[in-house]
Amino acid sequence: MRRMRTDEFSRRLMREHTLTSNDLIYPVFVLEGAGRSEDVASMPGVARVSLDRLLPVAERAVQWGIPALALFPVIDRGKKTPEAEEAWNPAGLVPSVVARLKKEFPELGVITDVALDPYTSHGQDGLIDPRDSRGYVLNDETLEALAKQALCHARAGADVVAPSDMMDGRIGHIRAVLDKEKLIHTRILAYAAKYASSFYGPFRDAVGSAGNLGKGDKKTYQMDPANSDEALREVALDLQEGADMVMVKPGMPYLDIVRRVKDTFGAPTYAYQVSGEYAMLKAAAQNGWLDHDAVMMESLLAFKRAGCDGILTYFALEAAALLKA
């Protein structure tokens, strides 16, 4: 076996998987206002930015061959309510950013997050009956809100809406609403197997939902990290309901799920290298414990080896720059 490993040329000839910039989706955090940039302390190299400062980032992504950005809004505290009405405001942050990005960079894919947690005063991804002392997130009532949010984003020009809420039946409900409005080309990227993970901490800091969530959790709707077969049932349902793509989240700790999903369904399969994964590698590299570029590229290649068609990663710009060099 070692004979074929002896030289670079023969290693290249038998290489099974390749990473390119076409595999990368760059998640970005966008703020209200102008001229604003706020570093995310727990995510070195990542900042929340206003639209005017996002445009040069989008231009760089296009130049380096990254197919799409995934938008995550940072909503002002005064606009957060129990019913999350700001989530479908046509003049709100996300629709405004989507419209401008599509005007300036029509070739760049724009993916929007469909979930209520950036907009709710309680930090949950769905609606809660104020009379319920348990704070249980209501399923069917939340579907109506999510559909309004997805429709708002699609009308603004979003290419892909990505429901990350994990409510039952939301893919079918959103697809039906989009089709009724003749938005038949708006794709749905379903967070189909999203786990109740502890790796999301820095992300919640970045979008400002951690404080609202407090000591609450999302275990009644996000998946139990102990389960694998359940993920296949979730993915099957989302595909049956009309999802065009499916996602596993988090990423590297769940590559076994990615492999099972890809082998079982053969559908376009994505994974999210989440904030905690990014923060760990960045911190280790900053301490000199790991070679930053080497582990970054190895981790991304691991997603491809597991079966991913694409990867949402905060490393996207850095990786694309290395791939272009």
Side-chain angles (χ1 to χ4, degrees):
M1 294 295 289
R2 289 184 59 192
R3 270 192 297 275
M4 284 297 287
R5 300 175 192 152
T6 303
D7 295 298
E8 174 66 13
F9 85 86
S10 55
R11 291 194 294 271
R12 287 166 55 197
L13 283 171
M14 67 179 232
R15 190 160 290 152
E16 298 172 32
H17 300 282
T18 307
L19 178 74
T20 75
S21 59
N22 294 328
D23 300 312
L24 306 174
I25 298 169
Y26 189 37
V28 294
F29 300 107
V30 62
L31 291 163
E32 302 267 11
R36 297 179 65 191
S37 180
E38 299 174 357
D39 291 338
V40 180
S42 55
M43 299 176 69
V46 173
R48 313 172 191 92
V49 296
S50 52
L51 174 58
D52 58 316
R53 298 200 174 184
L54 177 61
L55 293 177
V57 174
E59 184 176 18
R60 206 176 321 146
V62 171
Q63 291 171 347
W64 289 349
I66 294 172
L69 300 185
L71 302 182
F72 295 94
V74 183
I75 302 300
D76 291 344
R77 186 177 296 274
K79 295 181 179 179
K80 295 175 185 267
T81 63
E83 301 296 316
E85 292 91 348
E86 182 64 18
W88 51 89
N89 175 6
L93 176 60
V94 171
S96 300
V97 171
V98 168
R100 183 67 183 279
L101 284 173
K102 292 308 298 182
K103 179 182 178 182
E104 299 292 336
F105 309 103
E107 70 274 39
L108 180 67
V110 176
I111 302 170
T112 61
D113 182 49
V114 176
L116 304 184
D117 52 327
Y119 303 91
T120 55
S121 51
H122 46 69
Q124 295 286 0
D125 291 35
L127 305 179
I128 295 173
D129 185 338
R131 299 164 297 182
D132 184 354
S133 60
R134 302 171 302 161
Y136 184 77
V137 173
L138 300 167
N139 195 90
D140 293 359
E141 292 83 350
T142 297
L143 299 189
E144 298 299 326
L146 295 171
K148 288 190 286 187
Q149 184 184 23
L151 183 59
C152 174
H153 294 179
R155 284 172 171 165
D159 300 291
V160 182
V161 292
S164 64
D165 57 286
M166 288 299 286
M167 297 298 113
D168 289 339
R170 87 271 203 221
I171 302 301
H173 196 74
I174 290 170
R175 184 75 269 164
V177 169
L178 292 176
D179 288 355
K180 183 179 179 182
E181 295 294 319
K182 308 301 182 186
L183 292 162
I184 60 172
H185 299 299
T186 305
R187 281 135 283 188
I188 297 178
L189 168 57
Y191 286 62
K194 181 179 180 180
Y195 286 82
S197 171
S198 298
F199 284 94
Y200 303 148
F203 175 92
R204 290 174 183 164
D205 290 340
V207 298
S209 65
N212 298 91
L213 188 61
K215 294 182 178 179
D217 60 51
K218 303 186 178 185
K219 294 179 180 179
T220 66
Y221 49 98
Q222 294 179 358
M223 283 185 56
D224 186 337
N227 293 353
S228 176
D229 292 344
E230 183 187 5
L232 299 185
R233 297 199 297 274
E234 286 280 12
V235 171
L237 286 167
D238 285 357
L239 289 171
Q240 289 166 12
E241 291 175 24
D244 301 288
M245 303 164 273
V246 293
M247 189 197 300
V248 175
K249 183 181 180 185
M252 286 190 70
Y254 294 82
L255 291 183
D256 61 313
I257 309 300
V258 172
R259 183 75 267 166
R260 290 194 71 187
V261 168
K262 190 63 175 179
D263 286 346
T264 302
F265 301 102
T269 302
Y270 297 77
Y272 199 143
Q273 188 177 42
V274 299
S275 58
E277 299 172 62
Y278 172 87
M280 289 192 300
L281 293 180
K282 279 287 185 181
Q286 286 180 344
N287 279 285
W289 300 333
L290 292 173
D291 180 322
H292 177 277
D293 290 354
V295 296
M296 172 178 71
M297 300 306 280
E298 184 179 337
S299 70
L300 296 172
L301 187 59
F303 284 97
K304 292 294 294 180
R305 191 186 66 243
C308 282
D309 297 289
I311 310 143
L312 280 83
T313 175
Y314 303 99
F315 286 120
L317 286 182
E318 294 172 279
L322 278 182
L323 290 166
K324 192 174 179 66

